[in-house]
Amino acid sequence: NAGVTQTPKFRILKIGQSMTLQCAQDMNHNYMYWYRQDPGMGLKLIYYSVGAGITDKGEVPNGYNVSRSTTEDFPLRLELAAPSQTSVYFCASSSNDRDRGGYTFGSGTRLTVV
Amino acid sequence: DQQVKQNSPSLSVQEGRISILNCDYTNSMFDYFLWYKKYPAEGPTFLISISSIKDKNEDGRFTVFLNKSAKHLSLHIVPSQPGDSAVYFCAASASGGATNKLIFGTGTLLAVQP
């Protein structure tokens, strides 16, 4: 019972490099989300998806892109990494019924841009 | 514009005593509230939720109280245990959209002293 799996757990990028943060869930959830957590700032929504082929921007989408080709996978793409993107990134999924216990989160990816 | 606020960055409590974590919100459209618990190097995990049609929800040692007129909710942990030491996030969502998007507060670090 894996839940939400994020890879990699840690990554150091140089300014201007690109990378993809992987996220996969095995709970057949339609809804998936990407958040970033900065110290003292809580979690900010980057992008979300309500199903395969459907994505939309959250609060802080600049510098990121997403795709949702399958129900299971929701990768987050960083193009031209900047120091401001140094953060911990969390992927989450949920069912359509929000009374069913909220989100299931992955364990996070800690990204440092130098 | 922080729609969900946790004004206490940290709280220290003795083992066996009550822990009270507070959360305020500004958006009157929020009608579903959740608390998440987060240990270091892990993703947040769902703890307890409450719908705006209720003013109290209880689950074992955890009780959430909602005061809609004050736009305030609180999480009570009784009795507190050292294993409760973690960061607690308050989150809120509004119905009417098919996204289940959550807005998170900045978190409160709870330290339960043995």
Side-chain angles (χ1 to χ4, degrees):
Chain A
N1 188 8
V4 177
T5 303
Q6 289 185 240
T7 56
K9 292 192 182 302
F10 305 94
R11 183 73 185 267
I12 298 174
L13 277 183
K14 293 185 178 179
I15 294 171
Q17 286 185 321
S18 300
M19 77 165 292
T20 299
L21 282 67
Q22 301 291 345
C23 176
Q25 54 95 5
D26 62 359
M27 297 169 285
N28 202 32
H29 284 165
N30 283 330
Y31 297 168
M32 295 188 75
Y33 316 84
W34 274 105
Y35 283 85
R36 58 178 286 174
Q37 184 192 8
D38 300 318
M41 298 297 291
L43 293 107
K44 297 290 187 183
L45 181 63
I46 305 171
Y47 269 96
Y48 65 95
S49 169
V50 299
I54 307 170
T55 63
D56 207 346
K57 296 177 181 178
E59 301 171 76
V60 289
N62 291 344
Y64 306 95
N65 276 300
V66 293
S67 59
R68 185 95 182 270
S69 56
T70 66
T71 299
E72 293 77 21
D73 299 298
F74 191 40
L76 177 71
R77 177 81 177 163
L78 278 74
E79 304 282 1
L80 299 174
S84 61
Q85 294 177 303
T86 294
S87 189
V88 181
Y89 292 84
F90 290 102
C91 178
S93 71
S94 73
S95 70
N96 297 22
D97 182 359
R98 66 176 187 172
D99 291 328
R100 280 207 243 148
Y103 295 0
T104 299
F105 280 88
S107 58
T109 295
R110 183 175 294 276
L111 175 68
T112 303
V113 182
V114 297
Chain B
D1 177 29
Q2 192 73 22
Q3 297 184 69
V4 178
K5 301 176 184 178
Q6 294 177 256
N7 292 318
S8 298
S10 63
L11 175 67
S12 183
V13 171
Q14 287 296 118
E15 181 178 4
R17 306 295 289 268
I18 184 171
S19 295
I20 300 176
L21 294 92
N22 294 304
C23 178
D24 297 294
Y25 61 96
T26 57
N27 189 340
S28 58
M29 299 302 293
F30 289 149
D31 60 357
Y32 192 66
F33 305 90
L34 307 91
W35 285 93
Y36 284 81
K37 177 179 180 178
K38 185 185 180 303
Y39 292 118
E42 295 184 10
T45 55
F46 169 74
L47 192 57
I48 192 168
S49 63
I50 187 167
S51 165
S52 61
I53 62 173
K54 298 182 177 180
D55 54 18
K56 176 183 173 181
N57 189 25
E58 196 169 350
D59 184 1
R61 296 187 296 115
F62 303 91
T63 303
V64 56
F65 295 92
L66 176 62
N67 182 335
K68 289 187 290 294
S69 61
K71 294 191 176 67
H72 176 84
L73 64 156
S74 60
L75 174 68
H76 293 209
I77 306 174
V78 182
S80 301
Q81 299 173 353
D84 296 329
S85 297
V87 177
Y88 289 79
F89 289 100
C90 170
S93 73
S95 61
T99 64
N100 288 358
K101 279 192 297 183
L102 292 181
I103 305 298
F104 284 84
T106 52
T108 296
L109 174 61
L110 173 65
V112 179
Q113 309 296 334

